[in-house]
Structures are given as C-alpha cells and as structure tokens.
Amino acid sequence: MTATKNGILNSKVPEGDLHEIWDLHKNNLRLVNPANKRKFHVLIVGTGLAGASAAASLAELGYNVTIFCIQDSARRAHSIAAQGGINAAKNYVNDGDNVWRLFHDTIKGGDYRSREASVYRLAQVSNNIIDQCVAQGVPFAREYGGLLDNRSFGGAQVSRTFYARGQTGQQLLLGAYSAMMRQVHSGKVKMLPRREMLDLVKIDGKARGLIVRNLVSGQIERYAGDAVLLCTGGYGNVYYLSTMAKNSNGTAVWRCYKRGAMFGNPSFTQIHPTCIPVSGLYQSKLTLMSESLRNDGRVWVSKKKNDKRHPADIPEEERDYFLERRYPSFGNLVPRDVASRNAKYVCDEGRGVGKTGLAVYLDFRDAIAQFGVDTIKARYGNLFAMYEKITAENPYEVPMRIFPAVHFTMGGLWVDYNLSTTIPGLYVLGEANFADHGGNRLGASALMQGLADGYFIIPYTLGDYLAENLHTTKVSTDHEAFETTEKETVDRINRLLAVKGKKTVLDLHRELGQVMWDHVGMSRNREGLEQAIQRIAELREEYWSNVNIPGESATYNKYLEYALRVADYMELGELMARDALDREESCGGHFREEHQTEDGEAVRDDENFSNVSAWEYRGDDKAPLKHAEELDFKFVTPTQRSYK
Amino acid sequence: MSDQKMTIHLKIWKQESENSPGRLVDYTMDDVNPDMSFLEMLDWLNERLMNEGQEPVEFDHDCREGICGSCNLVLDGVAHGPYSATAVCQLHMRKYKDGDTIVIEPWRAKAFPIIKDLVVDREGMDRIMAAGGYISVNTGAAPDANSLPIDKYHSEIAFDYAACIGCGACIAACPNSSASLFTGAKIAQLAHLPQGSPERKRRVVMMVDKMAEEGFGDCSNYAECEAVCPAEISITAIAEMRREYVKALSEIS
Ligand SMILES: Cc1cc2nc3c(=O)[nH]c(=O)nc-3n(C[C@H](O)[C@H](O)[C@H](O)COP(=O)(O)OP(=O)(O)OC[C@H]3O[C@@H](n4cnc5c(N)ncnc54)[C@H](O)[C@@H]3O)c2cc1C
Ligand code: FES
C-alpha cells in the first residue's frame, strides 16, 4: 500500500540558497541557556563515531549524557575497523576541490536518491571535522613539510581523502572516544559498558526512555531521559555474512520502527566488490580488502566454464578481463555496485574461480612487471600481508581471489533535516539513519557522516527540541510505560528461551542470510523478491518454534543476545525485500533486473521514484504502509550514470 | 583452501562467575578445517555443544579483524597465541597440526576479574584513559588543521604508539600485571604531538597514578608485554612514560 506525499514526512528543510540553508536554519533554531542545559538528560545508544562524538559534544555544552556501549569499552565500537579514509573539501592539494564538488560527487555517487540540503551541509561541515580531529591528536598522514597528506578515492576526480595509514576509523574513533572519556572524567557523561538497548519507551508520543539488557548480569534495566539518540550503526549482518563486526545489529532501529519511527529505504545495501571470499560453512564474517587495490589489480576469470586450471596455466587469450571488456573507459575502476554485479554474473555463468567457484581473480602480475615488486609492496604491502594471513596464498605470485560482500546499509530510520525521526525526541545519527548516501555510498563518506552528525549537527538541532520541552514534566522509570515495555521485552526473551527446538541460532541465521543474499542482494527481480518474502515468513515461524537457545536470561549469555538480534532480522529482512520489490527501478546498489538497458546497465525512473521510501509499521498482522518523501532537485540535474 | 580435517584437543577454562571456582574442561574436535580462524573453531565447537544440549563456551570478540581489541585468549600460556603481532582472532588453525592439544585460558590479572569462562572485565583500562588520555579541546574550538605543521618524524612515531588496540594482552602477559605499555603508549603518542604539550605534565601524573590505584602492578622490565602485543607497540613507550613522569614531578613540585 502506498500513501504518497501525505505530509507525515516533513523534511524541515528551510527555503533558501543551498549554501545558506544551514546558516539560516541555525539562526532559527531555539537555544537552551547554560543553566537550563544542566536540567536535561540525553540517552545515547552506541559508541561508534556518531555516538562518541555526540556524547562528547553535548556534554561539553552542559547536557547530562548517559551512553550505552555493547562492548566492554567504547573504543571497540564497529567504526574502529574502517580502513581507507575520510573525505573533506579542504582543497589543500589545490586541485580545484570545494564544498560544491564534494556535495555534487556525493549526490551523484548516491544516484540521486538523497536530499540536496542534507548532503550540502555534510560537505560544508566536512572541513571542521578534520580541524577537530587534528586538534584532538589524531595522527593523520603528513607530508615531509609537516602538512596533511591526501589520497584519491573512487567516485571523485580530486584528492580529498584524509587517512591514517590503513587505520583511519581506529584513529578517528580513538579521537572521539578520548573526547568522550574526558567528559566521563568530568562527570557529565556516564558510560555504561556491556549494555544492549532492547526497546524504546514512549510517553505521550515522545521518546522518553530505554529498556536495556545488562549483558553481564542479564538484568533488564530502565533509563529515563529527555531525548534519545540512536547511534547504532548499520544492519548488514541481516545477511549473516558481512564485513560488519559480530556485535553490530539492527535491533535498536527495528524496535524503534515498531514503536512508530519510519524506516527509510530499507533495501539500499552496499555490496563491496573486493572482499576475501568465503572458504567454508564455518565462515563467521568477511574481511574487506581496500578498494584501492583496483588501481593496479586486473580483474579476470577464465573464458571457459568450470576451468579448474591453475591461473598461471591459463594463457592470456583464454582470460576474460570482464570489467575492462565491458567498461573500456573506467575498466577495473567502475563504481562498487557495478564491479560487484559483474563478478556475480560471471560466477553465475559457472566461470567463478577457486574451490567454491564464488570468486574472481584480482591479478597484480602486470602491475608487478610494469612497476616492480618494490613499488607494489610499498603501495599495498600491508594488504597483501593481511590477505596472506587469512588465505595462506601469496598474492605476489598467485592472483588474489576476491568476491563481493555486504558492507554498508544506506537505508536506516528516516530522519528530517534535524536528524529527528517521526517520533519526537528520537534522533538517529551515523549509519543507522537513512540520510546522506542515497542509493550508493562513496568511499570515505561514512566516517565523514558519522562525525558530522555527532560533532556538528546534533549539538544544534537537539537544542531546538529541548528548548521546546523545557517545561515538559520529567518522567520516572516507575511510569507505567516503562512497566509495560519492560514486560514486553521480558516476555519476548522468555518465549524465545522456552522454544528449546532443534536448530541453533546460527543455523537459522545462515538460512536467512542465504535468502537475503540470493534474492535481496546485488541483483534483484520480482519473482525472487516475492519468493524471499514468503520464505522469510516461513523461516520466522520456524525460528519461533524450532530455535534452540542455551542457558538462561539472568546470566552472561552471548547466544541469547544473538538470538534476540536474529529474531529482529527475521522481520527486518522481510521489510527490505518489500522495499526492493516496491522500487520498480534500478538505482545505485539497488539493481532490479526488470529495469536495465539492453547491455545490462541500470535504468533509473526519476518520474516515479525520485523519492525516499519511508515505511510505517502498522502491526505484525498488517502490511507496512509506504510514504514517500519526494526529492526535489533544485540545484543539480540528475543524469544517468555511465562508465562505458 | 583445504578439505583436510584435523583432530584438535582443547582444554578450556570454564568458570561460572567471578567468585565461583574455575577449571579446565577437555573437548576434542575431529573436524577442524585448517582454514578456520581460531574463533571460528570455537564457534564450531559451541554449535556442537548446543546441539548436544551442553553449555557453550563464552568468549569475547567483535571485529575479528585484529583491530577492536575485544578478543582475549591465552593459548598455551601465551596471550593471543603463537603467531606474533597477531590478535587471536587473526590466527588460523593451519598454524596447528593434527592431534595437537591447546590450553585456552582468559587474561589473568588482579585488575581483570572473570565474568564468565574466557570473558573478563577490563574496565580499569578505560578508567586510566578517562584520567588523562586526551587533549582537552571542545568541539568547534579547533584552528585550521594545517595551521600547525607537525614534522613527519614525530607524527610517524606518534602513530606507532597510537596503533594500540587496547586489548590488554600486555597486562595479561606481565608477571606484575602492569598496564605500563598500554598507558605509556597513549602518553608517548600525545607527548610527540605539539597539541598534547599543554597538558603533558598533568596527563602523565594523572594516568600513572590511576594505573596504580586500579590495582595494576609496576613495570620491572620483563618485556613480556612487547612480545605479545598484536599492534607491535615498542617498549620504548614505557621509557618515554617514565621520563615524562620524572620530568613532570620535578617540575610540578
Ligand atoms: C571494514 C570496513 C571498512 C570501512 N572503511 C571505511 C572507510 O575507509 N571510510 C568510510 O568513510 N567508511 C568506512 N566504512 C564504513 C564506516 O566505518 C561506518 O559506516 C561507520 O563507522 C559507522 O559509524 P556509526 O557511529 O554510525 O556506527 P558504528 O561504528 O557501527 O557504531 C555503532 C555501535 O553500536 C552498537 N550497537 C548496535 N545496536 C546496539 C544496541 N541495541 N545497543 C547498544 N549498542 C548497539 C554496535 O555494535 C556498534 O558498535 C567501513 C566499514 C567497514 C565495515
Ligand atoms: S575480535 Fe577485534 S581484535 Fe580480535
């Protein structure tokens, strides 16, 4: 069912010229005076870049913050694993970059499915992020002259990516973490480790509290506050295998969706082309290899099906460099979604390599011949070493085997220009919201977004809401809304534990992951999506009648934690399939086979789908209702991407 | 990639909670694939245990890429196991032979109480960081990033120290359970950067004192910490920390 433009989705973007909208908006936002800030209590979930930066910045302003961390330390949040870098429009290299270009590349890279004003603001604050991080002591790469170094990344013709060796996420997170720990020391931030949010408490329609599980004792705890910030990252683990950390999950966003927040573009998933392939059923997660490898590596498979020869025995004329063949002008450097899809196609044809047939070669033979081993080692030494650690193969001698893997979810809870959901008082920051990346995220833009949201946007926009609520009565955790929400959570846990069936959570999660990967993955079609919706419903039934969870709830119990997350994936997966089915076009990472040109390129439908789909929950027994936020392009003109 | 199967004998520390007694429990796995990571081998064991109606083994992990610092296993007495400069999540079973026996224990230190089985409480490390492991700069107050050039030499050294993943292996390996390598790495990182200079004295005193208060021991130069560090933090961090501490005390008093 669809309700278009029904007014629920007010993006709150003010009128004005692109470059002045954010300033105008800031001028109009209400302020909370310092004495009153002390009266407010903000609850934050997740300690990645978005959560840690928001906690630090809000506490510096004088708000009281309680932040919940799923790991034992905030420094372990998933952001720690980001490798490549963070974009900013500094133009330190003098190659013509500016805010407009960063904005334009991000909108275009997202295949024109994001909001102009939000993306422009992201580009505007990008420069402040770099300043802030350097002041915190983040050791970005530098030149001999002592100034900051930049590198280039996919989807851009300028060098605007700041990096810290191959550990940019680690260094940025440690910066935000240290700023937050300073506030822990000052008493403004209370950091609660080993806690998982399991539900949102709403009172009078507003977000007023959380139901949280203490992962050490298993106790269910209640927390009341004046606003809630979800900074819980992406939900890529719905696919079972992904490059996400094992604790990353979708429960927080899903529970809030079920409490009334709209879910934006749930099916928009990024599948990264250069990951280390699956080696067996025991595989627990996938490891990303930086996409910079495609600068020198050539992607190929044999022209013959089921060719079991050693790659060195396959002569040049029998190799198919399929990206170079199909996309002569971009070759191996086509965007992530195009590279991934083409790898899938050759594997579907039976031309995949390695034991499983689910991999393609990324070959450095020619680059080594041209530049010498030393140069290649200097460029990619650490990546080659990591590859060898995992696969026991030496990529200087044998071509790497790579395969696409789920990497990032562009979808997430729908938020307006203030980062507010449709539930007043509930804000979503970072990867958990749907906001800035449209149908496809460019490299080095997620770190930028998480920190923009936390350092430079929420400190302004949250104040506006709190100012309005200065006289709203404080609630206590004895309120009956806490009582009922806690009871629902406890019942859910007990029902799951009581099933005592025959399959492990892992078994059922693997099955769900396979359905998602096959039908809601790189290439989608009506029949497959309809099948997926049905199959997921069956799996969900089986889950609630045949899962086997060990132990009890009132103890440390990792498999119970996991089981609760998978229970939510069993619902979220279906919404993703529904959204993919509904969107009758191909855009960015969302490729519908029905919507392609004769030679297999994506076809967008700007007439009908220049919008964000935002799904409203209406009960477990009813189909969700789709709303659409129309995307009005006033400053850029959408064009069809072509990499031929 | 391998179809080979190995038999591996495991002796794993099981302990219900902080104050209950613990013991090593024997498990034998006869279908270990050499391409499995060490943690995947434990997942595999747990799946079998759950299918047999037994309790799984609890252990900490998250990124499984050697960067988050969550995993913390002592294998045959060595923190993170036999592969140097590698967190245990990055260790693969091909490092072992068919028929091997492996003893798996948690980090052991007074400051790391056991939560369950192989999971320990490492929050003391966070408290050391909160005591001073930062530069006091509020959001929005930063000057242009390039207004302060930093020579590449010092910025590279700062990075080497900043690479610490905060896993606590150094503490687990130290006969004194000292947190000196962990604490020293942060102090040394910030001491090499001009931004860190204004708070230099206060920082080292606060962090070092906090370390002692939390029950971590002193350093007597065993250098076991450096040997097990997955991020290859050099023990010079400790020398730098001591130098900073002595300088700070002499200048403050
Ligand atoms: C391998 C890899 C490499 C990447 N490289 C880059 C790169 O080079 N550049 C770039 O820009 N982006 C990169 N990305 C993407 C980027 O790292 C993430 O999008 C970004 O860090 C997300 O930050 P966040 O703060 O929104 O969420 P996260 O860092 O994911 O933090 C959210 C935290 O909340 C926790 N959480 C979830 N649910 C709950 C709950 N219910 N209760 C409590 N806690 C909860 C999660 O476990 C997680 O630790 C990469 C991603 C991966 C996987
Ligand atoms: S699980 Fe993250 S370092 Fe091992």
Side-chain angles (χ1 to χ4, degrees), chain A residues 277-537:
Chain A
V278 174
S279 75
L281 185 66
Y282 49 78
Q283 187 91 31
S284 61
K285 78 158 283 191
L286 296 169
T287 302
L288 175 79
M289 301 293 292
S290 167
E291 75 183 323
S292 62
L293 290 169
R294 287 195 280 143
N295 281 308
D296 285 305
R298 296 180 69 195
V299 177
W300 66 276
V301 291
S302 169
K303 286 183 179 164
K304 278 199 232 144
K305 285 186 185 179
N306 288 320
D307 192 339
K308 292 290 171 209
R309 285 178 290 177
H310 187 276
D313 298 334
I314 304 181
E316 196 59 26
E317 62 281 3
E318 291 177 37
R319 298 179 174 198
D320 178 13
Y321 294 90
F322 56 92
L323 291 178
E324 296 171 22
R325 171 171 58 79
R326 288 194 61 180
Y327 306 95
S329 63
F330 275 70
N332 296 296
L333 289 174
V334 289
R336 290 177 178 178
D337 54 319
V338 180
S340 293
R341 212 156 40 239
N342 281 281
K344 173 187 166 21
Y345 291 153
V346 295
C347 293
D348 288 350
E349 288 166 19
R351 296 195 289 140
V353 305
K355 196 177 64 175
T356 60
L358 290 175
V360 299
Y361 290 127
L362 179 64
D363 196 342
F364 292 86
R365 185 195 63 183
D366 296 348
I368 290 172
Q370 188 181 353
F371 305 111
V373 175
D374 291 343
T375 307
I376 295 302
K377 194 174 250 164
R379 284 184 194 162
Y380 310 112
N382 58 343
L383 292 169
F384 279 32
M386 174 166 90
Y387 180 84
E388 192 171 354
K389 225 180 226 185
I390 295 176
T391 63
E393 287 174 1
N394 177 353
Y396 295 98
E397 286 160 12
V398 196
M400 278 186 182
R401 286 172 296 110
I402 54 162
F403 199 61
V406 171
H407 178 58
F408 183 88
T409 42
M410 281 77 70
L413 291 186
W414 183 90
V415 291
D416 64 17
Y417 191 58
N418 292 328
L419 305 179
S420 171
T421 63
T422 43
I423 298 176
L426 177 67
Y427 291 76
V428 188
L429 285 63
E431 190 175 339
N433 70 29
F434 88 101
D436 299 332
H437 308 292
N440 172 54
R441 173 177 72 80
L442 288 186
S445 286
L447 300 179
M448 168 171 75
Q449 185 222 336
L451 290 178
D453 289 359
Y455 283 135
F456 296 109
I457 299 172
I458 200 71
Y460 292 91
T461 59
L462 184 66
D464 189 60
Y465 172 77
L466 293 175
E468 182 189 299
N469 282 279
L470 191 56
H471 302 293
T472 305
T473 3
K474 299 285 165 191
V475 294
S476 111
T477 53
D478 296 332
H479 191 284
E480 63 167 293
F482 279 92
E483 201 71 44
T484 36
T485 316
E486 176 179 322
K487 183 163 182 313
E488 285 170 26
T489 307
V490 171
D491 287 350
R492 196 164 74 240
I493 294 175
N494 291 340
R495 258 178 65 211
L496 263 182
L497 276 170
V499 175
K500 295 282 175 238
K502 296 229 165 353
K503 286 191 178 174
T504 62
V505 185
L506 284 121
D507 282 332
L508 288 155
H509 191 188
R510 274 190 205 107
E511 286 182 54
L512 173 69
Q514 196 64 51
V515 175
M516 295 299 295
W517 179 251
D518 289 344
H519 301 299
V520 199
M522 283 177 274
S523 190
R524 306 156 171 192
N525 60 53
R526 170 165 289 278
E527 198 192 330
L529 289 164
E530 282 170 349
Q531 258 178 39
I533 293 170
Q534 199 191 336
R535 186 70 196 111
I536 295 168

Side-chain angles (χ1 to χ4, degrees), chain B residues 39 61-71 87 89 165:
Chain B
L39 300 188
H61 61 93
D62 198 14
C63 74
R64 299 199 173 195
E65 289 189 13
I67 192 79
C68 75
S70 291
C71 58
C89 59
I165 63 170

Side-chain angles (χ1 to χ4, degrees), chain B residues 10-30:
Chain B
L10 302 169
K11 289 179 178 299
I12 304 181
W13 187 261
K14 291 282 291 172
Q15 180 170 338
E16 209 36 54
S17 61
E18 183 182 347
N19 297 314
S20 53
R23 69 201 159 97
L24 286 172
V25 176
D26 290 338
Y27 302 92
T28 292
M29 297 186 67
D30 51 17

